[in-house]
Amino acid sequence: MLAKEENQLPQYKEDAHFFLTSIASEPAIIKYLQDPFITIKDKEDFLNELFQTKTYLTNLMLLLVKEHQIKHVGEILNKFIRKYNKEHHIKEGII
């Protein structure tokens, strides 16, 4: 995995948390990205503005948008975070 080799996984985990927090507080983000009447270019501009330097996350979101799979983004990012935590022996709990 390229991200692992480049030691970028901690940053990707932080970025994933950022996006999950964003969509939890603003569910309209997913609705916007799913809207078939909004152009891919407009969605790309929106994602670039939202993520700024988070290139890999922006690219993932764009792929999901183009393939009409953005509805699965929460599952994908949560699975990544769980896998990261498991590999780094990080325990999660609900308080």
Side-chain angles (χ1 to χ4, degrees), residues 15 17 35 38 40 45 50 52-53 57 62-63 67-68 72-74 94:
D15 294 347
H17 271 294
D35 191 321
I38 299 171
I40 296 293
D45 291 344
L50 181 64
Q52 298 173 358
T53 61
L57 188 57
L62 282 173
L63 177 64
E67 297 297 324
H68 307 286
H72 300 294
V73 69
I94 299 173

Side-chain angles (χ1 to χ4, degrees), residues 50-88:
L50 181 64
F51 296 117
Q52 298 173 358
T53 61
K54 299 167 179 60
T55 308
Y56 287 103
L57 188 57
T58 302
N59 290 340
L60 171 63
M61 298 302 115
L62 282 173
L63 177 64
L64 294 173
V65 165
K66 289 176 182 175
E67 297 297 324
H68 307 286
Q69 299 299 315
I70 195 68
K71 63 186 173 201
H72 300 294
V73 69
E75 297 168 54
I76 293 167
L77 294 178
N78 278 313
K79 188 169 187 168
F80 165 74
I81 291 168
R82 283 193 305 272
K83 183 173 176 150
Y84 176 92
N85 287 346
K86 184 177 180 183
E87 288 182 10
H88 292 87

Side-chain angles (χ1 to χ4, degrees), residues 1-12 56:
M1 175 183 228
L2 183 60
K4 199 174 203 177
E5 291 171 10
E6 294 180 355
N7 198 30
Q8 293 293 313
L9 290 178
Q11 182 62 51
Y12 293 169
Y56 287 103

